[in-house]
Amino acid sequence: MGRGGLGVGGLLLIMLIVINMEVNESTTYEVGDEFGWDPTIDMETWPRGKTFHAGDILEFKYDDQKYDVVVTDQEGHDTCTVTPRSDVHNSGDDRIELQHGGNYFICSISSLCSAGLKMAVSADF
């Protein structure tokens, strides 16, 4: 009786698995493009027109003697403060993976955040 094949049920199962598989390839974005993470451009407008997904990478390139990158929450972004849950990066070339939902970044050096060196990015699934 057995013909050694998958049968209709097996083929359907394989088709469902293939249909439901999602290729999860992340995209890397260089923040600020050729300018990098720098107050000479409006970082709040840089994300406009881009579609970000959870797992995408933001690469922050900057002069580590002048700037840093702080991953913070919305309150920290809005008030330009480092909160207890903030994560400070200061290598000059930081790669940060986006989480689903709001992702908030500021510079904690001097008054650079209030001068515009901050950014909010929303990432979809």
Side-chain angles (χ1 to χ4, degrees):
M1 246 167 96
R3 298 185 335 214
L6 289 174
V8 174
L11 288 174
L12 285 174
L13 179 60
I14 290 172
M15 288 175 55
L16 286 173
I17 290 170
V18 170
I19 289 170
N20 288 316
M21 285 179 61
E22 181 177 318
V23 177
N24 189 13
E25 293 184 30
S26 64
T27 301
T28 299
Y29 295 90
E30 188 172 330
V31 174
D33 301 316
E34 68 273 6
F35 298 101
W37 178 244
D38 190 284
T40 59
I41 67 168
D42 183 0
M43 285 298 170
E44 292 282 58
T45 63
W46 178 82
R48 291 186 189 158
K50 297 173 181 67
T51 302
F52 298 99
H53 299 281
D56 284 350
I57 304 295
L58 295 186
E59 185 171 14
F60 291 81
K61 292 184 177 184
Y62 56 94
D63 182 341
D64 65 350
Q65 300 301 308
K66 295 180 180 179
Y67 315 116
D68 65 8
V69 178
V70 179
V71 180
T72 190
D73 55 20
Q74 185 173 2
E75 177 187 352
H77 171 269
D78 294 347
T79 61
C80 289
T81 56
V82 177
T83 64
R85 292 180 286 164
S86 297
D87 188 16
V88 179
H89 299 264
N90 53 18
S91 75
D93 188 359
D94 302 309
R95 296 171 56 85
I96 300 170
E97 183 176 332
L98 292 175
Q99 304 302 309
H100 175 255
N103 294 263
Y104 303 95
F105 308 94
I106 65 171
C107 179
S108 69
I109 308 296
S110 188
S111 60
L112 290 170
C113 176
S114 57
L117 195 49
K118 64 180 185 173
M119 180 177 69
V121 173
S122 180
D124 300 327
F125 279 117

